[in-house]
Amino acid sequence: MWTSEVFALACRKQAQSYDRPTTAFGARCNKAVFEAAKHAAAEAYSKTEDFSVHVVPTGTGSGKTTFCTSLIATMVDRDPAYSAAYVVATISEAQTVYNNLSKMLPPGTIGIYTSAHRSLQKAIEHSPEVNEHVERLGSSSPSGLSNARISICTHEHWLLEGDKGDDLGVRKWNGKPRTNVFLDEFPSSITVETITPSDIDELADELDRVPGMIRARDLLRETAGKLREIDASKSGAHGIANLMNKHERECIQSLDLSSIRDARDSSRNQTTKKVLDAIKSPHSFYYRERINNATNTHGRRYLCHAHDRFQPHPGLIILDATANLAPQANNRELYRFYQVPGVDYRHLSITHIQQPSGFENISSRAASSDTIAQYAAWMKKLVNKMTTSEDRVLIVLPKKVAETLATESPIKGRKALVATWGMGIGSNQYRDCNVTFLFSEFHLPRLAHLSESIAVGADRVSDLVRQAQGAKATKVVKDRSEAHRMRHFKQMAARGCIRNIDEEGVAAPMRLYTTMESRLLFDRYEALFPGAPLPNQVVCDASSLNTKPKRLAALMRQCMKTKHSFELDADTIQKETGIVAKSLKKAFASQQCNVFTSFGWTFVPGKARQTKPSLRYDPSASIAQQFSRAA
């Protein structure tokens, strides 16, 4: 059934349904999706326990969604036993996929379920499009999804089905495994539940009111006291192994919280019990929040349990342009990656903005309303300076900054749209924007990246906790943080018109401006945007270059514009950066500067008192250049 003829029919249906001719580049991307779906189907039909999760990392804008829907429609016509689910990140995306698929499928073939489709009131609250759907076709339910040959839902519903182990209409059709389940982007599946000693005390207080609970109450208070002792002693990074012995854990696990009547916070009590039940499990740990404050170096203390809700199964295909950066992708034994053609970003112009000092933590919870207002004013001024009235502009901001902007006309005199970090990474509504600004980055609390690392089993729990407890995250936890930031940086940059790819796989011209950490940008830009020219730099405030290594890095980037070999002598470096000759080697080895070794920079030692050390730039030795030539 999975023949070259079927593949050709699916490509033809894609071209007809979406009025988009299939190019040679598009056909190669489609072929990877087709092969993944074919192998996943074979595993679903065989009901084998030895299966893979099939991952297709096709570039953003390569047509993976349009081909998948066309393939589904083709297979429905050709194979009476075929069924599929299409799972997306947001309700709006689910509605869009439903609208497109319903035009290609016979009536009664397709079903959709999300939290907004379950009632008219929820639909009205969400959007006019979903409201129109529910008014016309009625509300939906998981049972209706189970009976639909083709089902559409969100990541959350797929995760919930895995949590419960029940049939909610995603993995099965009429009680039998679906042929294919397409997961559009890796979901945010890793959760962490946290409790404090006060939460444990709260549950103990509730047990005070229940007859026969004296032992459990006293045990809870002892456990809260032990947690406080661990925090006071500042010992052991893990520190939870001896909180309870086996019999004590069994006592807490046997607690029936339904016996507590009129609890002040039932949900809080359930979370407390769940975390305590998981003590001694591989994913439980103790964590002290760090606060960079002169009077208080540590914040709240937590007992935590990390959990990955991702439940793989036969028939699963994941379509994600940045799949290699997803935390779950560490398990290469489970995931089968398919070779796809790379997108060429030769027409992308990247500019790094060294923003004024004082705005470094604009996305943090501690950012004041005055700082946010100042940032918004600076951002508007910068957008006006860097664009014209003819440009179509996408501005990506932290949510709290976006809330200060007018929604209809955020920048007067500019055709600008505003998106926020964390809004979801599958939207196609900004594809006409030829200028994209990425202000700040998508930062998460360090605890989130620690939990990711623990949940996917990246290393020993005690080692990982230590990596997260210092002034800066290190090793695996640092890598997870950077992977998260780069994944969302690439995905949000690709909301703009670089998602429009021509027949040769070349992305449309676009100007990209970013204020992200320059070290990370220059370290990863070639891997994220193959073929893109070297990023430019704009320094908005000289005071933002507030360390010698930062000034040296800026000087090196400036010299790289020459595009030919260049030598920076010690006197010039001292004049521009304040770095004396004897300190040059150490400065060059700093995080900010060391990244430029891959671009062809090397340190040249001095010769005793005869010559001073220098820095030499040779673009022909650049790893990025070698990579481009090889590609």
Side-chain angles (χ1 to χ4, degrees), residues 10 39 41 54 90 160 175 209 276 299 315 424 431 510 522 551:
H39 291 125
H54 303 269
T90 67
L160 184 63
R209 304 186 293 111
L276 291 176
R431 66 180 307 145
M510 190 182 85
F522 280 84
R551 291 194 286 274

Side-chain angles (χ1 to χ4, degrees), residues 170-415:
V170 192
R171 292 164 172 81
K172 294 181 179 180
W173 171 44
N174 289 334
K176 296 181 179 179
R178 292 192 185 273
T179 314
N180 290 148
V181 175
F182 294 97
L183 204 59
D184 201 336
E185 313 290 351
F186 265 101
S188 299
S189 62
I190 295 172
T191 62
V192 59
E193 288 162 318
T194 64
I195 61 173
T196 67
S198 297
D199 293 320
I200 302 174
D201 286 335
E202 171 72 16
L203 180 55
D205 289 345
E206 294 287 2
L207 293 183
D208 248 343
R209 304 186 293 111
V210 181
M213 291 292 182
I214 295 176
R215 179 169 179 259
R217 178 203 65 192
D218 291 345
L219 176 57
L220 288 172
R221 287 182 174 154
E222 288 175 14
T223 302
K226 289 178 183 178
L227 274 179
R228 290 187 172 96
E229 288 175 9
I230 291 172
D231 189 67
S233 67
K234 296 182 171 54
S235 64
H238 194 193
I240 65 170
N242 298 318
L243 284 178
M244 295 184 193
N245 61 35
K246 178 182 177 182
H247 299 296
E248 290 169 337
R249 290 198 305 275
E250 289 174 351
C251 174
I252 298 302
Q253 289 167 354
S254 66
L255 277 178
D256 180 9
L257 297 191
S258 64
S259 62
I260 303 176
R261 306 295 181 188
D262 304 319
R264 282 174 290 194
D265 193 336
S266 296
S267 176
R268 182 184 179 190
N269 291 337
Q270 291 286 353
T271 299
T272 299
K273 183 178 184 301
K274 186 174 182 179
V275 175
L276 291 176
D277 285 350
I279 285 179
K280 294 277 286 191
S281 76
H283 298 158
S284 292
F285 58 101
Y286 176 70
Y287 180 76
R288 279 199 305 258
E289 189 178 59
R290 185 176 180 85
I291 297 177
N292 294 321
N293 185 303
T295 59
N296 184 15
T297 57
H298 290 95
R300 300 185 75 186
R301 49 197 176 273
Y302 300 101
L303 185 60
C304 313
H305 180 249
H307 174 58
D308 187 1
R309 300 172 65 198
F310 194 95
Q311 297 287 332
H313 54 84
L316 183 61
I317 307 106
I318 300 177
L319 313 168
D320 191 328
T322 52
N324 63 311
L325 295 172
Q328 299 93 338
N330 288 330
N331 185 355
R332 292 289 170 151
E333 293 181 1
L334 175 63
Y335 297 95
R336 176 177 176 180
F337 279 71
Y338 288 75
Q339 198 72 25
V340 296
V343 179
D344 185 336
Y345 293 98
R346 69 182 71 168
H347 301 311
L348 174 63
S349 170
I350 307 175
T351 300
H352 178 261
I353 306 293
Q354 190 74 39
Q355 63 189 8
S357 59
F359 294 149
E360 296 87 352
N361 298 317
I362 192 65
S363 62
S364 75
R365 289 174 293 176
S368 68
S369 56
D370 286 345
T371 302
I372 291 170
Q374 292 168 19
Y375 191 82
W378 169 78
M379 178 273 298
K380 290 181 180 181
K381 185 177 179 180
L382 183 72
V383 171
N384 270 314
K385 181 179 179 180
M386 298 296 184
T387 63
T388 70
S389 59
E390 299 302 312
D391 286 321
R392 298 173 303 281
V393 183
L394 168 62
I395 303 168
V396 181
L397 291 160
K399 187 174 181 180
K400 60 172 60 179
V401 181
E403 290 171 351
T404 68
L405 305 176
T407 53
E408 293 184 4
S409 181
I411 311 285
K412 289 185 179 179
R414 294 292 182 269
K415 302 171 193 170

